[in-house]
């Protein structure tokens, strides 16, 4: 059940997310300006692999926390897209990122190490939200990230394919996420709009929740910047 107040709130949330968008982050700027060495980008890709691998558990948590069939189907489609080659990409998305890391020289031993603390901190925030809060907050936590992703990733894809001559196969993670995350975000927004009325004080609390989500996401990007530009 959508209300005019909830639609107004969601428009405000979009404004907050767009204002904080990491497409303008120093990490993206440094890469597209040609200031990131390949070995540092390799190190970023290894950490991004761990993030991509770990965050999928959030989709499972949202699925487990709702009784609504449309939300459960949405999360199953997210998992199929992320974990298999049946929908969005030729492999699981973490393996697409691993493929990119390997073309930059990452060996098997690099993936066996534990992810860096800032990556585990971000995953802890995201997964706790999805496991412990109402499923609408879990949807919104992912929405914060997925709404921002296409613009930033497209900038990276263009640079990597044109300047570093990374071929389309090895750049597939960037292609997939620049093209499809917008649609995923839209699907999440529709479900948030439909079920937000179940969350007490959603309209009052959502802006601060989104600001926290943007801060957590930008903190992760700050870490990634420290990896590529120490």
């Amino acid at each position: 059940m959508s209300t005019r107040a909830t639609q107004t709130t969601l428009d405000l949330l979009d404004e907050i997310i767009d204002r904080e968008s990491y497409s303008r982050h120093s990490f993206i700027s440094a890469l597209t300006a040609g200031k990131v060495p390949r070995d540092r980008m390799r190190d970023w890709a290894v950490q991004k692999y761990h993030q991509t691998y770990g965050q999928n558990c959030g989709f499972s948590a949202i699925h487990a926390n709702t009784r609504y069939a449309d939300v459960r189907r949405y999360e199953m489609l997210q998992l199929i897209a992320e974990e298999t080659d049946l929908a969005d990409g030729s492999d699981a998305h973490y393996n697409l990122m691993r493929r990119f890391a390997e073309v930059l020289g990452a060996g098997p031993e690099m993936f066996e190490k534990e992810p860096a603390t800032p990556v585990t901190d971000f995953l802890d925030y995201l997964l706790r939200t999805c496991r412990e809060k109402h499923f609408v907050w879990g949807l919104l936590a992912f929405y914060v990230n997925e709404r921002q992703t296409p613009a930033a990733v497209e900038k990276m894809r263009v640079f990597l394919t044109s300047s570093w001559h990374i071929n389309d196969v090895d750049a597939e993670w960037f292609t997939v996420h620049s093209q499809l995350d917008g649609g995923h975000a839209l699907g999440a927004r529709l479900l948030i709009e439909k079920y937000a009325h179940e969350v007490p004080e959603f309209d009052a609390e959502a802006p601060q929740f989104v600001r926290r989500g943007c801060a957590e996401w930008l903190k992760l990007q700050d870490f990634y910047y420290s990896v590529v530009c120490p």
Side-chain angles (χ1 to χ4, degrees):
M1 181 178 68
S2 174
T3 66
R4 184 178 299 276
T6 298
Q7 293 174 10
T8 300
T9 298
L10 291 174
D11 290 342
L12 172 62
L13 302 184
D14 285 347
E15 291 176 8
I16 295 170
I17 295 167
D18 294 347
R19 189 163 59 244
E20 299 293 332
S21 174
Y22 84 108
S23 66
R24 298 184 295 274
H25 194 278
S26 299
F27 163 53
I28 307 297
S29 299
L31 175 66
T32 56
K35 298 179 180 179
V36 177
R38 288 188 178 229
D39 61 337
R40 292 292 181 179
M41 196 63 183
R42 174 203 63 199
D43 296 343
W44 168 83
V46 171
Q47 294 302 319
K48 188 68 175 179
Y49 162 86
H50 287 300
Q51 178 210 321
T52 306
Y53 184 85
Q55 68 188 19
N56 287 351
C57 295
F59 300 130
S60 302
I62 297 169
H63 179 277
N65 278 344
T66 181
R67 61 187 176 87
Y68 296 114
D70 53 353
V71 180
R72 291 166 66 93
R73 283 194 297 269
Y74 172 81
E75 296 304 332
M76 284 301 299
L77 290 173
Q78 290 282 78
L79 280 168
I80 290 169
E82 291 282 345
E83 293 275 359
T84 77
D85 62 356
L86 300 176
D88 300 342
S90 64
D91 204 338
H93 289 184
Y94 48 83
N95 283 335
L96 299 183
M97 181 52 66
R98 179 168 180 151
R99 182 191 299 166
F100 174 68
E102 289 173 342
V103 82
L104 295 181
E109 72 284 352
M110 298 186 73
F111 301 96
E112 294 171 1
K113 297 177 182 178
E114 292 295 315
T117 298
V119 175
T120 59
D121 286 348
F122 173 77
L123 291 173
D124 182 66
Y125 146 75
L126 183 65
L127 298 183
R128 279 180 179 271
T129 298
C130 295
R131 288 167 178 160
E132 299 175 6
K133 293 183 178 293
H134 191 283
F135 73 85
V136 167
W137 294 122
L139 287 168
L140 186 55
F142 271 104
Y143 180 76
V144 167
N145 306 337
E146 290 194 314
R147 180 174 172 83
Q148 298 181 56
T149 296
V153 170
E154 177 62 9
K155 289 181 179 180
M156 298 172 74
R157 185 196 68 80
V158 169
F159 174 81
L160 293 168
T161 55
S162 62
S163 297
W164 283 12
H165 305 293
I166 303 295
N167 67 43
D168 290 343
V169 172
D170 294 327
E172 186 178 358
W173 184 91
F174 300 91
T175 303
V176 166
H177 287 272
S178 67
Q179 293 179 351
L180 300 178
D181 273 16
H184 294 168
L186 177 59
R189 179 180 161 132
L190 292 172
L191 292 171
I192 294 165
E193 183 177 332
K194 183 177 181 179
Y195 293 109
H197 69 279
E198 291 196 357
V199 180
E201 303 299 325
F202 176 83
D203 293 331
E205 296 180 7
Q208 185 57 36
F209 178 89
V210 164
R211 291 187 183 97
R212 163 80 189 284
C214 288
E216 294 289 344
W217 187 240
L218 289 173
K219 184 165 63 175
L220 181 63
Q221 307 315 311
D222 289 342
F223 164 67
Y224 286 151
Y225 181 67
S226 75
V227 171
V228 299
C229 295

